[in-house]
């Protein structure tokens, strides 16, 4: 090896197949020697080796990177970094199909380290050759979709980053989401175990509004009505609870406020209409969407329509869950609106009383009943105080309120940035 390093001209190519085979040897010393040589070859003549032997070299490194011997594993990782850096800076034409075939095989490896390394390679190649990679997406996408069910969360998170990169192209965006919906349709347990994680992370890496509008349009055309209802229920729960969807909830909340001059009002209205058409496959999800968007006239009318719906055990369980969510921080704005003597909030009370009438005598019934009883008591006290001559009061300083809102918006933006950073590093499960 020292002689090769010192020689002016050496034909490295013919030696590569021997090193590749020895990287898979049962003997520790053979594997270690072979991977050391491989690392040196990458440094010495990598650019010349890439076109012909790139996929073979990559395969041998992927094999050794999960070796049980720490020294072999470390050397393979160093060789992997050198090879990746070489590919990133090369301007030579590469045989992408061969590299992708190798990486697709390695996604089926028994070792997490190898699968993670293969995904990093796919991500890098897509960043460097987006158009060429998109042409090969038909062969690559099935393997990436299969990796969503990987038992290791680390693998799934990196895989979702790769899928998000692919979705930068509008055509591939729709192709990926259609494939995801089809995957969940064929594998219901996967929807239950990984569905929320997949949607949340995609909404972190991409625009949440874009994701939800596309999914709503795709689902609305599916003939399997039971699946669509289950999927809508899943998406709605994510919408109501996930911190990654804060911006989407904010957009929905301004869509029905009459006096609002928010620039996102039209976007919010378009989002609501698109979701409502799809959410109609699940009555409770539709009702929750109306409450979230403060479309209280619509929610009050929906409650009356529930009399025509098949009230199954599943339906009542969803209503029970919604009542629990009404007590969560997501619906603080709704609970505080019950304090206001605003004609617009009368249909909100009608909606909640209607929900109460749907529930059997249960803990959820008691929770909602107690909440509404508190509101009724409060309004009685306020009506009594209306007859008392009010004392002089200090005017509200609107600048101070505006300052509070601005500072809180900064905190919200900071939290969103932190979530995106953690997701990009794979630290947030």
């Amino acid at each position: 090896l020292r002689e090769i390093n010192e020689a002016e001209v050496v034909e490295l190519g013919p030696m590569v197949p021997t090193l590749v085979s020895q990287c898979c040897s049962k003997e520790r010393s053979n594997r270690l020697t072979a991977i050391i040589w491989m690392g040196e070859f990458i440094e010495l003549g990598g650019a010349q080796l890439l076109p012909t032997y790139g996929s073979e070299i990559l395969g041998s490194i992927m094999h050794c990177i999960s070796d049980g011997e720490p020294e072999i594993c470390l050397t393979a990782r160093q060789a992997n970094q050198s090879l990746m850096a070489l590919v990133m800076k090369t301007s030579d034409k590469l045989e992408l199909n061969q590299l992708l075939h190798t990486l697709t095989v390695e996604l089926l490896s028994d070792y997490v380290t190898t699968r993670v390394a293969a995904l990093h390679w796919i991500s890098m190649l897509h960043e460097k050759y987006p158009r060429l990679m998109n042409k090969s997406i038909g062969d690559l996408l099935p393997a990436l979709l299969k990796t969503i069910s990987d038992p290791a969360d680390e693998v799934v998170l990196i895989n979702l980053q790769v899928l998000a990169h692919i979705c930068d192209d509008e055509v591939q965006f729709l192709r990926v989401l259609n494939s995801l919906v089809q995957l969940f349709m064929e594998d219901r347990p996967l929807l239950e175990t990984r569905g929320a994680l997949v949607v949340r992370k995609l909404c972190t890496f991409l625009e949440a509004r874009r994701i939800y509008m596309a999914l709503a349009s795709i689902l609305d055309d599916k003939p399997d009505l039971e699946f669509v209802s289950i999927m809508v229920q899943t998406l709605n729960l994510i919408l109501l609870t996930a911190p990654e969807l804060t911006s989407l909830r904010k957009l929905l909340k301004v869509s029905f406020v009459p006096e609002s001059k928010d620039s996102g009002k039209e976007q919010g209205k378009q989002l609501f209409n698109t979701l409502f058409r799809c959410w109609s496959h699940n009555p409770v999800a539709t009702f929750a969407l109306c409450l979230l968007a403060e479309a209280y006239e619509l929610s009050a009318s929906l409650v009356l329509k529930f009399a025509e719906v098949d009230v199954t055990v599943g339906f009542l369980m969803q209503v029970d869950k919604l009542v629990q969510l009404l007590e969560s921080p997501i619906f603080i704005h709704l609970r505080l609106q019950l304090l206001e003597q605003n004609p617009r909030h009368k249909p909100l009370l009608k909606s909640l009383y209607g929900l109460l009438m749907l529930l059997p005598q249960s803990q959820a019934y008691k929770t909602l009943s107690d909440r509404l009883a508190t509101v009724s008591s409060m309004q009685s006290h306020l009506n009594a105080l209306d007859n008392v001559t009010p004392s002089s009061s200090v005017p509200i300083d609107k600048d101070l309120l505006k300052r509070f809102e601005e500072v809180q918006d900064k905190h919200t933006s900071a939290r969103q940035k932190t979530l995106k950073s953690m997701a990009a590093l794979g630290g947030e499960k």
Side-chain angles (χ1 to χ4, degrees), residues 361-413:
Q361 296 287 332
S362 61
Q363 183 58 45
Y365 177 92
K366 185 177 185 305
T367 300
L368 184 55
S369 179
D370 289 347
R371 173 70 67 181
L372 292 172
T374 302
V375 173
S376 178
S377 175
M378 179 271 302
Q379 289 183 344
S380 297
H381 283 89
L382 288 178
N383 290 334
L385 289 172
D386 283 343
N387 298 322
V388 179
T389 303
S391 59
S392 59
S393 58
V394 179
I396 296 173
D397 189 333
K398 293 183 179 179
D399 288 338
L400 292 178
L401 284 177
K402 186 177 180 181
R403 166 65 181 170
F404 177 80
E405 292 172 359
E406 289 172 351
V407 172
Q408 288 305 308
D409 285 343
K410 288 180 181 178
H411 280 276
T412 301
S413 298

Side-chain angles (χ1 to χ4, degrees), residues 35 39 69 105 167 217 306 331 362 364:
I35 197 64
E69 294 289 337
V105 171
C167 286
S217 298
F306 283 177
F331 283 106
S362 61

Side-chain angles (χ1 to χ4, degrees), residues 23-24 52 70 98 104 109 115 140 144 149 152 154-155 222 249-250 262 352 361 372 376 406 411:
C23 281
C24 299
T52 307
Q98 293 181 11
T104 302
S109 168
R115 300 198 298 274
L140 187 59
L144 294 176
S149 58
E154 182 185 4
V155 174
K222 293 296 178 185
R249 291 193 289 270
K250 187 175 180 180
D262 194 295
L352 295 180
Q361 296 287 332
L372 292 172
S376 178
E406 289 172 351
H411 280 276

Side-chain angles (χ1 to χ4, degrees), residues 190-217:
L190 181 63
L191 174 60
E192 295 175 9
T193 57
R194 283 280 164 78
L197 176 67
V198 170
V199 174
R200 285 176 57 193
K201 293 307 171 187
L202 286 179
C203 286
T204 301
F205 298 131
L206 302 168
E207 186 190 3
R209 177 177 174 272
R210 186 180 173 213
I211 293 285
Y212 261 69
M213 289 188 70
L215 286 174
S217 298

Side-chain angles (χ1 to χ4, degrees), residues 83-339:
L83 184 62
M84 186 176 282
L86 181 66
V87 171
M88 288 175 69
K89 69 181 182 181
T90 187
S91 57
D92 296 338
K93 186 178 179 181
L94 298 179
E95 289 294 334
L96 277 183
N97 288 336
Q98 293 181 11
L99 287 174
L100 288 177
H101 175 73
T102 298
L103 293 170
T104 302
V105 171
E106 296 303 336
L107 285 177
L108 302 175
S109 168
D110 293 333
Y111 301 100
V112 171
T113 306
T114 298
R115 300 198 298 274
V116 167
L119 286 167
H120 279 303
W121 266 92
I122 293 170
S123 180
M124 182 274 291
L125 289 173
H126 192 274
E127 187 175 343
K128 184 174 175 63
Y129 306 105
R131 291 184 180 179
L132 291 175
M133 289 290 286
N134 283 339
K135 290 180 181 179
S136 303
I137 199 68
D139 298 324
L140 187 59
L141 189 55
L144 294 176
L145 291 172
K146 187 174 182 180
T147 306
I148 289 175
S149 58
D150 195 286
D153 282 351
E154 182 185 4
V155 174
V156 176
L157 289 170
I158 298 172
N159 184 49
L160 291 173
Q161 280 184 275
V162 174
L163 288 171
H165 281 312
I166 293 171
C167 286
D168 285 338
D169 180 271
E170 186 62 31
V171 174
Q172 304 304 336
F173 172 76
L174 294 174
R175 184 175 188 173
V176 168
L177 289 190
N178 271 290
S179 299
L180 275 174
V181 170
Q182 188 64 35
L183 177 65
F184 288 142
M185 189 184 300
E186 295 169 357
D187 191 348
R188 300 290 177 85
L190 181 63
L191 174 60
E192 295 175 9
T193 57
R194 283 280 164 78
L197 176 67
V198 170
V199 174
R200 285 176 57 193
K201 293 307 171 187
L202 286 179
C203 286
T204 301
F205 298 131
L206 302 168
E207 186 190 3
R209 177 177 174 272
R210 186 180 173 213
I211 293 285
Y212 261 69
M213 289 188 70
L215 286 174
S217 298
I218 292 168
L219 287 169
D220 206 24
D221 291 333
K222 293 296 178 185
D224 188 340
L225 299 183
E226 182 187 359
F227 165 74
V228 174
S229 179
I230 293 171
M231 188 76 184
V232 165
Q233 183 183 346
T234 302
L235 290 172
N236 189 65
L237 186 59
I238 299 168
L239 175 62
L240 293 178
T241 59
E244 294 88 348
L245 274 77
T246 300
S247 60
L248 209 61
R249 291 193 289 270
K250 187 175 180 180
L251 196 60
L252 286 167
K253 285 176 184 177
V254 301
S255 57
F256 278 87
V257 180
E259 65 277 10
S260 174
K261 296 180 181 179
D262 194 295
S263 58
K265 185 173 180 178
E266 285 304 314
Q267 279 192 340
K269 199 70 176 287
Q270 183 186 16
L271 172 65
F272 178 85
N273 290 338
T274 302
L275 294 186
F276 188 91
R277 284 193 289 269
C278 181
W279 263 227
S280 295
H281 288 280
N282 187 293
V284 180
T286 312
F287 183 78
L289 176 67
C290 291
L291 293 184
L292 183 62
E294 301 185 19
Y296 300 138
E297 292 282 358
L298 192 52
S299 64
S301 299
L302 276 177
V303 167
L304 300 178
K305 293 289 183 182
F306 283 177
E308 303 166 14
V309 174
D310 291 332
V311 181
T312 62
V313 174
F315 175 87
L316 292 176
M317 288 175 65
Q318 289 182 54
V319 174
D320 191 288
K321 179 68 175 177
L322 177 58
V323 171
Q324 295 176 42
L325 288 172
L326 289 175
E327 295 296 316
S328 72
I330 297 299
F331 283 106
I332 281 179
H333 71 286
L334 181 149
R335 300 199 299 273
L336 290 177
Q337 283 172 351
L338 295 173
L339 297 174

